[in-house]
Amino acid sequence: MTDFTLYGFWESGHSFKVALMLELNEAKWTCEPVRFGSGETRSAQYRELNIMGEAPVLIHHRDDGDFKLTQSGVCLTYLSKYFGTFGPRTEAEDYEVLRWLLFDTHKLSAQAGLVRFLRKFANRADEPETKFLFNRALSALKILNASLEGHDWLVGDRPTIADIACQSYLHWPEDIGFDYSDYSNVADWLDRIRALRGFKPSRELMPSGFEAAVMTA
């Protein structure tokens, strides 16, 4: 029996964060494909599911009824509490994890994801707006790299949802235009994430939002 349904697609780093958290916890889940490329998230039907018109949407099929969550940081926080994994252990860590979730949403994934879309899917790599956003994403990457100096993980001595949030789009450096040769802390950190038991790349967890193929996680 399926415990969770995730509305998402593999090209979405925000969907990947939640899919990976489900997979790392060996959850029983399925993916409902979101046809982003054909404009599904702008449809009235999808807006009924998520008024923000975004992916992912996570549905937890509970005994007391379906429980819906949107926004990847919210989904990660819920799953961390539900499974008792990848979460903070102290009050100080609680706020530190929250700080990184907000940093990722505002500074890292927000910029890197948009740059990736403009470069890879919209053929707008050379436009001034794309270059401006790239520089903002690069600034966030520099902060991430500096924060990992002497540390394996962003918070404490183990991986948390802070790491799961911040890692998502960074597995596609060529699409964004990143070169990790000068950011070895980030490169090593990504290797540690890929070495986690149960890790799978986004493409193996969800269908495409731009193709007709459908798969089940």
Side-chain angles (χ1 to χ4, degrees):
M1 181 178 176
T2 297
D3 292 331
F4 297 91
T5 299
L6 177 67
Y7 288 77
F9 55 105
W10 80 256
E11 293 92 346
S12 163
H14 296 294
S15 299
F16 178 40
K17 302 169 192 180
V18 184
L20 180 58
M21 183 66 172
L22 290 166
E23 198 69 14
L24 292 175
N25 284 284
E26 300 180 339
K28 296 177 182 178
W29 67 286
T30 58
C31 183
E32 187 69 30
V34 176
R35 305 303 186 198
F36 182 83
S38 61
E40 180 180 354
T41 56
R42 297 191 296 273
S43 69
Q45 182 179 6
Y46 193 87
R47 294 293 174 122
E48 289 182 5
L49 179 68
N50 181 4
I51 195 171
M52 297 179 183
E54 298 172 340
V57 175
L58 180 67
I59 309 293
H60 186 188
H61 306 293
R62 308 192 312 193
D63 291 340
D64 60 349
D66 286 352
F67 188 66
K68 181 178 71 174
L69 300 121
T70 65
Q71 297 295 316
S72 59
V74 172
C75 296
L76 289 177
T77 301
Y78 177 82
L79 292 174
S80 177
K81 292 180 178 180
Y82 177 77
F83 290 111
T85 59
F86 299 100
R89 293 176 178 170
T90 67
E91 183 181 23
E93 285 189 357
D94 191 11
Y95 287 106
E96 187 68 2
V97 166
L98 177 59
R99 186 171 78 105
W100 280 107
L101 291 179
L102 294 173
F103 170 84
D104 173 68
T105 300
H106 183 56
K107 298 287 189 180
L108 185 57
S109 287
Q111 315 301 331
L114 185 52
V115 171
R116 178 173 178 261
F117 174 79
L118 292 172
R119 286 169 54 96
K120 183 175 178 64
F121 301 105
N123 194 30
R124 294 170 59 184
D126 296 327
E127 294 190 7
E129 294 84 354
T130 305
K131 294 178 180 179
F132 171 77
L133 291 168
F134 171 79
N135 286 328
R136 288 179 60 86
L138 186 61
S139 294
L141 183 69
K142 292 177 180 177
I143 292 170
L144 184 66
N145 192 72
S147 298
L148 287 164
E149 182 67 33
H151 302 281
D152 286 346
W153 306 105
L154 290 174
V155 179
D157 59 358
R158 70 211 175 281
T160 67
I161 55 174
D163 301 283
I164 295 172
C166 290
Q167 57 87 41
S168 62
Y169 280 101
L170 301 185
H171 295 283
W172 301 304
E174 296 85 1
D175 293 349
I176 301 168
F178 285 160
D179 180 353
Y180 293 152
S181 59
D182 292 328
Y183 305 97
S184 60
N185 294 332
V186 169
D188 293 344
W189 169 72
L190 288 172
D191 284 341
R192 286 190 289 274
I193 290 172
R194 286 188 282 261
L196 292 174
R197 186 173 65 87
F199 177 90
K200 291 180 181 178
S202 189
R203 188 189 290 268
E204 294 182 15
L205 294 174
M206 293 172 287
S208 173
F210 295 87
E211 300 171 2
V214 177
M215 59 174 286
T216 300

